[in-house]
Amino acid sequence: LVAQKADKENVKVFAVGGFIRDLLLNIKNHDLDLVVEPAAIPFAEELNKMLGGRLTSHEKFGTASIVLPEGIHIDLVTSRQEFYARPAALPEVEQSSLKNDLFRRDFTINTLACSLNSPGFGKLIDLFNGIGDLEKGLIRVLYNLSFVEDPLRVLRAIRFEQRFGFRLEETTLSLMENAAQTRVLEKVSKERLHDELVLALQEEKAPEILIRYFTLNIAPMIFPGIRLSDALQERLFAAREMCYWANRNWPDTEVVPGNLYLAALLLEAPFQEARHICRRLRLPQKQREPILAAVEAVPRLKEKLLANALKPSELYRLFSGQPVETLLLLQADSKQSRIWESTALYWEKLRHIQPHISGHDLRELGFKPGPGFQEVLSHIRAARLNGEVKNREEELAMAKK
Ligand code: ATP
């Protein structure tokens, strides 16, 4: 459809970047990046009339994006205009304006383009030997100052390296080590860093990516004060296992793996530091809260759980109000079966148990409404949890006492 529209509107359109990379790797990709000559926005408007998606344009940058209901994203950028100043050499002009666009990209494997116009539909354009690097499994920057120009590429390189099981090409690796030494990542805005971290944490190989941040000495700029210990590595891998486990066994519970990985990391820092890092990373409150709750609670709960066998009512009191992250982090942090059993018992059973009787029943029994109600009901719930009362009648009898 895009190709037909391109011909009809008489514009040159190339599919570029991750879409082509993934096509060659035989990986599904729902984001289509298009380079459009001479202008992306009018073409995006025409295209969207046909597709009926949600269109956003940025006049200043000459870019547009279309989001389709099926979750497909189409990003359109305008190819650099300055090369049109030489109309006499049109074919080369066309090549060089695309080249200019591709040269601004991060790694050779992301510079592949494919013409969508006919004739020549589907012609692969490989100006920087991206195919060679895809075949060899290499992440390679296009020029030596790449990481200095945009230090965020350091993190992107690690994300792609781990996602595809590729290697950092030798020069790229030494440029990256240099970038780590000179702490260039500190120049990246906190917002961009946050966005990249979100993407990294969504990866299947997020634990490996985080560990790579440490071994490449980039972590101090992201998680200052945290050191990579064996316990941390184990906890990160265990956190991933716990997410799989929870998805299988607790299908009604939403577990965000990234929250668990961050909590697993922050458990290495004193609480105040952990809070500071969350702020630095610009984590929104909704994400910060469960992470910090887990970081604060896990050492305390672990100690209590391992010290004594607790009654169900005591477990309830211990875990009540804790987010699922706390329970999973406890499990990831300790292989003790008592911890495993207690957390599963609470989440699957205990937290759903309520007394049969209500405030209404208490009123009928002559209790005066007030804070005492809650106390009586909690008492009855504890008795129920411990199996000391089994039905409504027994609960009423207990309330009377
Ligand atoms: P993903 O599968 O993670 O979406 P992607 O390669 O499609 O991978 P995007 O972040 O959507 O990644 O970027 C689209 C394209 O834009 C990339 O393929 C790359 O060519 C280019 N790009 C993105 N970020 C940068 C950057 N920081 N520096 C240079 N080029 C970049």
Side-chain angles (χ1 to χ4, degrees), residues 76-94:
L76 303 98
V77 301
T78 299
S79 195
R80 305 287 142 190
Q81 301 283 306
E82 58 262 40
F83 289 88
Y84 284 84
R86 296 166 53 221
L90 254 185
E92 290 93 81
V93 167
E94 176 188 302

Side-chain angles (χ1 to χ4, degrees), residues 201-204 238-261 324-325 327-328 331 340 347-348 351:
L201 291 170
Q202 283 169 358
E203 294 279 333
E204 179 89 28
R240 176 166 56 202
E241 289 308 310
M242 290 323 308
C243 290
Y244 292 150
W245 181 87
N247 280 334
R248 277 196 310 273
N249 292 284
W250 300 343
D252 299 333
T253 303
E254 198 204 340
V255 178
V256 181
N259 285 358
L260 208 58
Y261 299 138
V324 68
E325 283 83 354
L327 306 185
L328 294 176
Q331 295 182 338
W340 189 282
W347 198 255
E348 289 165 17
R351 74 188 169 114

